[in-house]
Amino acid sequence: MRLTIFGTGYVGLVTGACLADVGHQVVCVDVDAEKIARLKAGEIPIHEPGLDDVVHRNVEAGTLEFTTDTARAVAHGQVQFVAVGTPPDENGAADLQYVLAVAETIGKAMDRRKIVVVKSTVPVGTSDRVRERLAQVLAGRNSALDFDVVSNPEFLKEGAAVNDFLKPDRIIVGTATEHARAVMKEIYEPFNRNHDRTIYMDVRSAELTKYAANAMLATKISFINEIANLAERLGADIEEVRRGIGADPRIGYHFIYPGLGYGGSCFPKDVQALGRTARDIGYDAPLIAAVEAVNNRQKTTLFDKIAGHFGGVDGLKGKRIAVWGLAFKPNTDDMREAPSRVLIEALWAAGATVVAYDPVAMDETARIYGSRDDLILARDKYAALEGADALAICTEWQQFRAPDFDEMADRLATRLIFDGRNIYAPDRLSRDGWTYISMGRAPAYPQLQAVENFS
């Protein structure tokens, strides 16, 4: 089928590349001429494992094109996917200006029946607004062209988006017409060969499903972090608790890892937007508000632990703190709402210097913060430790899981680790003379014999 994708950001690029990969003829359009030029030159603007290969393969095969020509893009596709950003405004509501601008663009250029598929994450009722905008534009043209508006939310995990798209858990399609349902069935047929993963529903239910899914996952994260904070104060070990509750199949092990809270482009924005939707309709949703409040508080816990160890905020002045992990999660360079940013900025405010390392987010860090005397970007994880008074771990990258602790000890000024992701065993580090402070567990201090050997 001939498909058009508006937006070449995270969702749009993955969607376009993966739909092209199963044989559809896809044109991706964006108003950002620089981004389109980079894509045409073979440069992928986001870090997503496997995406480079899919994009390059389909560009070479002629099934995937990039353009800034909106009229050509509208003319190309029977189906127009809207995958532009919906950033939060100052009140936490999703900003729909880009979604509605695309609807207007389609309405001005369409010359035959189109199916407009809203792929962006949008509040309930947005598809109705898209339908109204399209109808207004067509009425202004004195056009009686028919169209359909479908809600087809994405469920892509950063760092695993290509696999998520090609092998989806479910495909949600919200539509009110048999015509649109038949076309969407054909589009997604290649992804349903093993069994039909598509769930059809009304448009508003599809829109709410996306928010409900992300809010549920965010709730699990905030819940386990709340229990971790209790565990520390009660002398319990959150890792033992996690295994105990995760064994219950009604709970499961996914999304119950204690840490520094959730970040990225989805959970913070979507929880805020769902809360705003509740307020707009006069419904008190205290659970949603609590999820966000717990998460915001959790992002400060690692700094509080570091400051507490050094005798308060004033004790951090002049300290050199190594930070491993800057992206909000592994396998991405996305630093939006990343817990590392809360820690780093608090360390700077206290007068500390940060020496940071991340496997892929170094350029993004430099873009966000620029050049400053209290930020050093290290060439590798061990170089970040040189002369540092402590190591803080913010992201659980695979390469941090089994480091050379002897080399770490040689590089650091003190055997001191603050682990925001609980990736090491406290007993092992204690035996080797380390002070190890993690999440939801009692601090581990050097065993006496280890201290004597180290001294």
Side-chain angles (χ1 to χ4, degrees):
M1 297 187 69
R2 297 171 69 84
L3 310 175
T4 295
I5 314 290
F6 274 87
T8 57
Y10 186 84
V11 175
L13 188 56
V14 172
T15 298
C18 290
L19 288 173
D21 206 44
V22 297
H24 297 303
Q25 294 289 326
V26 177
V27 169
C28 290
V29 58
D30 202 297
V31 295
D32 188 336
E34 181 182 353
K35 183 185 290 187
I36 292 298
R38 290 170 62 190
L39 286 164
K40 286 183 174 180
E43 183 180 347
I44 308 301
I46 60 174
H47 178 86
E48 181 60 41
L51 183 58
D52 294 42
D53 291 340
V54 178
V55 170
H56 294 152
R57 179 167 66 244
N58 286 283
V59 167
E60 291 178 5
T63 55
L64 179 63
E65 299 178 63
F66 300 102
T67 185
T68 57
D69 187 340
T70 56
R72 174 181 170 239
V74 174
H76 170 82
Q78 175 190 359
V79 181
Q80 309 275 311
F81 283 84
V82 182
V84 293
T86 54
D89 63 18
E90 64 276 5
N91 297 315
D95 186 345
L96 300 178
Q97 63 172 311
Y98 306 112
V99 171
L100 296 176
V102 171
E104 188 163 325
T105 297
I106 295 170
K108 288 178 178 178
M110 60 186 284
D111 59 0
R112 64 187 188 279
R113 183 175 187 174
K114 301 286 185 181
I115 297 174
V116 179
V117 178
V118 181
K119 197 77 175 168
S120 304
T121 299
V122 295
V124 176
T126 299
S127 294
D128 292 339
R129 294 182 62 181
V130 169
R131 185 179 295 105
E132 291 167 3
R133 182 65 61 89
L134 276 164
Q136 290 171 357
V137 174
L138 288 171
R141 294 174 50 196
N142 294 318
S143 172
L145 288 171
D146 200 3
F147 64 89
D148 302 89
V149 177
V150 172
S151 174
N152 176 218
E154 55 85 16
F155 297 94
L156 306 177
K157 298 187 296 292
E158 290 194 45
V162 172
N163 188 67
D164 283 348
F165 199 103
L166 296 176
K167 298 177 181 178
D169 296 319
R170 77 287 207 199
I171 301 167
I172 302 296
V173 174
T175 180
T177 70
E178 286 301 319
H179 171 71
R181 176 171 174 153
V183 173
M184 296 301 290
K185 179 178 175 63
E186 184 176 348
I187 290 172
Y188 285 115
E189 188 65 31
F191 307 96
N192 287 312
R193 296 294 299 276
N194 180 269
H195 64 276
D196 193 350
R197 298 174 171 87
T198 308
I199 302 172
Y200 296 97
M201 59 184 68
D202 65 90
V203 172
R204 287 190 167 226
S205 294
E207 291 172 331
L208 184 55
T209 296
K210 168 63 177 183
Y211 278 112
N214 278 357
M216 182 68 237
L217 296 174
T219 300
K220 293 185 73 173
I221 294 170
S222 283
F223 175 81
I224 197 64
N225 283 330
E226 194 83 294
I227 298 300
N229 294 332
L230 283 172
E232 282 187 24
R233 291 157 176 80
L234 294 170
D237 185 333
I238 189 59
E239 292 301 321
E240 300 296 334
V241 175
R242 180 184 66 81
R243 284 192 288 270
I245 66 174
D248 186 330
R250 296 169 300 175
I251 298 173
Y253 293 104
H254 295 297
F255 285 84
I256 59 167
Y257 287 91
L260 300 178
Y262 57 78
S265 62
C266 295
F267 286 7
K269 173 175 69 71
D270 293 352
V271 171
Q272 283 184 19
L274 188 58
R276 175 58 187 266
T277 296
R279 292 193 296 273
D280 287 346
I281 62 173
Y283 178 73
D284 183 26
L287 178 59
I288 295 170
V291 168
E292 183 179 8
V294 169
N295 191 66
N296 290 337
R297 185 181 65 189
Q298 195 68 18
K299 289 183 178 181
T300 68
T301 53
L302 200 60
F303 174 77
D304 292 341
K305 291 174 184 290
I306 296 171
H309 179 84
F310 286 102
V313 173
D314 291 343
L316 288 169
K317 187 174 180 62
K319 297 297 184 184
R320 183 181 178 98
I321 307 298
V323 175
W324 279 2
L326 300 166
F328 85 95
K329 63 180 288 189
N331 299 319
T332 180
D333 62 352
D334 194 344
M335 291 181 62
R336 286 173 288 184
E337 303 286 341
S340 65
R341 297 180 63 174
V342 176
L343 173 64
I344 288 170
E345 291 165 17
L347 288 169
W348 287 335
T353 295
V354 172
V355 189
Y357 174 74
D358 186 282
V360 303
M362 302 295 271
D363 289 344
E364 182 67 1
T365 306
R367 184 192 69 80
I368 293 170
Y369 292 118
S371 177
R372 48 186 299 160
D373 293 339
D374 50 7
L375 173 63
I376 301 168
L377 299 179
R379 66 180 181 275
D380 60 52
K381 62 186 179 185
Y382 295 120
L385 307 179
E386 199 68 53
D389 296 290
L391 165 65
I393 301 173
C394 292
T395 314
E396 64 275 29
W397 282 93
Q398 194 71 24
Q399 65 171 261
F400 300 156
R401 292 183 179 274
D404 184 334
F405 287 104
D406 289 337
E407 180 164 359
M408 292 172 66
D410 289 341
R411 301 278 190 129
L412 284 164
T414 308
R415 296 192 184 197
L416 175 58
I417 298 174
F418 296 90
D419 184 357
R421 299 298 176 181
N422 287 6
I423 58 179
Y424 303 136
D427 289 348
R428 181 260 171 94
L429 289 177
S430 176
R431 287 195 304 270
D432 289 345
W434 292 84
T435 297
Y436 178 65
I437 299 172
S438 54
M439 311 297 290
R441 302 185 287 190
Y445 296 106
Q447 293 180 8
L448 182 60
Q449 184 62 41
V451 173
E452 292 173 350
N453 290 342
F454 182 50
S455 61

